[in-house]
Amino acid sequence: MSAASMVGRIILVTGASDGIGKHTALKLAQMGATVLMHGRNTEKIHHAKREIAEKTGNKTLEVYTADLASLREVHHLSEDIHSKYSRLDVLINNAGVYMLNREESKDGYEMTFAVNVLAPFLLTSLLLDLLKAGKSSRIVHVSSISHLNCNKVNLDDLNSKLDYRDGRPAYALSKVCEIMYTYKMAELLQDANITVNCLDPGTVNTNMLLKSWGPVGIPVGEANFVYQTAADPALDGVTGRYFVDNKDTKSSAISYDKTLQDKVWDILVKLTGATF
């Protein structure tokens, strides 16, 4: 991929204040893309933008602030983007949380489920008109190999009231839900010239990983899988896939259960009001 291969492409990266999201925004800025950088903390996201602008010389970087734990703020984020843009070429749903202790969002949902599942699902639906107006648009959901730890989806306990422990079951649940709706979304949008894929970004020493497991992964500066899934021309027209190490890989057996996919989808639509 050439350094200028994304010139003219408008890309939204959620969770771009630090970690994988910030690195992804940096790589895409180096390629000449117009990068819309989302963050929860106003100061941090502006700092990230200044740093990337200095490193890349890219003057087409923009900042958007929203707390994705609030569905209302997800709506506001969409409204802010709509006020400036009539199209979007790539949406990278990267923002995510891992909570050691159970907390609830402003809307009363378990925080991991709220941020990792409900927010990107709703945001994607709200930005769908812009993606349809884009050129060969892509939706990229950043999932995790941790989804393999979720062997059963209790539709009556998506808020993890029964099984929270150290947060790992809730995190694995959120990531398998993300993969399931990736597959269904890909089917629904296949005639709209929009591809929908998900991936494991690798084991990366982000702040989230360091707090939970320690330095067991690769440096953030080597976490290239997300931007590659968003930009690689070899993936034109490729949809409904799960990638690990840039390879088309099988996700867990449960994630392919179409009946369960439909049930999870219907619950998410009911909770968020999303329309596809």
Side-chain angles (χ1 to χ4, degrees):
M1 290 182 284
S2 72
S5 63
M6 298 296 281
V7 172
R9 300 281 277 170
I10 302 170
I11 304 175
L12 171 61
V13 183
T14 67
S17 298
D18 56 24
I20 296 169
K22 181 180 173 183
H23 177 67
T24 299
L26 168 69
K27 298 297 286 187
L28 293 169
Q30 286 176 334
M31 299 174 76
T34 296
V35 186
L36 316 185
M37 300 174 59
H38 156 268
R40 183 180 61 177
N41 181 294
T42 303
E43 187 177 342
K44 277 183 71 176
I45 193 65
H46 277 278
H47 178 77
K49 176 195 170 183
R50 287 194 298 271
E51 189 179 318
I52 290 173
E54 287 172 8
K55 286 182 177 178
T56 65
N58 189 320
K59 293 180 171 57
T60 58
L61 305 175
E62 290 195 8
V63 163
Y64 294 85
T65 305
D67 183 355
L68 299 186
S70 162
L71 295 178
R72 185 175 181 181
E73 291 203 29
V74 175
H75 277 276
H76 288 165
L77 175 59
S78 168
E79 289 163 7
D80 288 345
I81 293 169
H82 274 89
S83 71
K84 290 204 69 173
Y85 291 95
S86 58
R87 76 168 218 271
L88 184 65
D89 299 303
V90 183
L91 168 60
I92 302 176
N93 283 311
N94 163 76
V97 296
Y98 177 95
M99 309 292 293
L100 290 172
N101 300 302
R102 191 181 184 281
E103 295 180 26
E104 291 192 351
S105 70
K106 297 172 185 176
D107 303 308
Y109 302 113
E110 188 275 315
M111 191 67 77
T112 317
F113 183 64
V115 176
N116 295 8
V117 182
L118 296 180
F121 186 79
L122 176 59
L123 182 62
T124 302
S125 79
L126 294 173
L127 296 176
L128 205 52
D129 60 328
L130 299 186
L131 287 159
K132 286 180 177 177
K135 185 180 179 184
S136 300
S137 297
R138 298 186 183 188
I139 298 167
V140 178
H141 298 301
V142 180
S143 187
S144 170
I145 206 160
S146 297
H147 86 277
L148 295 171
N149 296 324
C150 180
N151 300 312
K152 182 181 179 183
V153 175
N154 184 348
L155 297 173
D156 296 320
D157 191 38
L158 295 178
N159 274 305
S160 300
K161 288 184 177 180
L162 301 177
D163 183 20
Y164 198 84
R165 288 178 277 164
D166 57 0
R168 294 189 191 199
Y171 186 75
L173 171 67
S174 75
K175 293 304 176 180
V176 83
C177 285
E178 201 169 26
I179 292 173
M180 283 195 287
Y181 71 62
T182 294
Y183 294 155
K184 185 168 174 68
M185 205 179 284
E187 285 185 15
L188 290 175
L189 299 178
Q190 62 185 0
D191 294 330
N193 200 26
I194 300 173
T195 63
V196 191
N197 293 298
C198 57
L199 75 150
D200 167 56
T203 304
V204 183
N205 289 333
T206 60
N207 291 335
M208 186 167 73
L209 185 90
L210 293 172
K211 286 176 186 174
S212 306
W213 288 283
V216 296
I218 62 171
V220 171
E222 295 175 14
N224 295 326
F225 296 140
V226 177
Y227 100 85
Q228 289 167 345
T229 304
D232 191 345
L235 296 181
D236 283 348
V238 176
T239 192
R241 310 292 173 83
Y242 168 67
F243 296 99
V244 178
D245 294 337
N246 270 3
K247 298 180 181 70
D248 189 350
T249 305
K250 287 289 184 185
S251 53
S252 63
I254 195 173
S255 67
Y256 293 102
D257 183 330
K258 287 192 175 289
T259 301
L260 190 58
Q261 283 178 18
D262 289 343
K263 288 179 179 178
V264 168
W265 183 277
D266 290 345
I267 289 171
L268 299 185
V269 166
K270 185 177 180 181
L271 295 180
T272 63
T275 55
F276 287 86

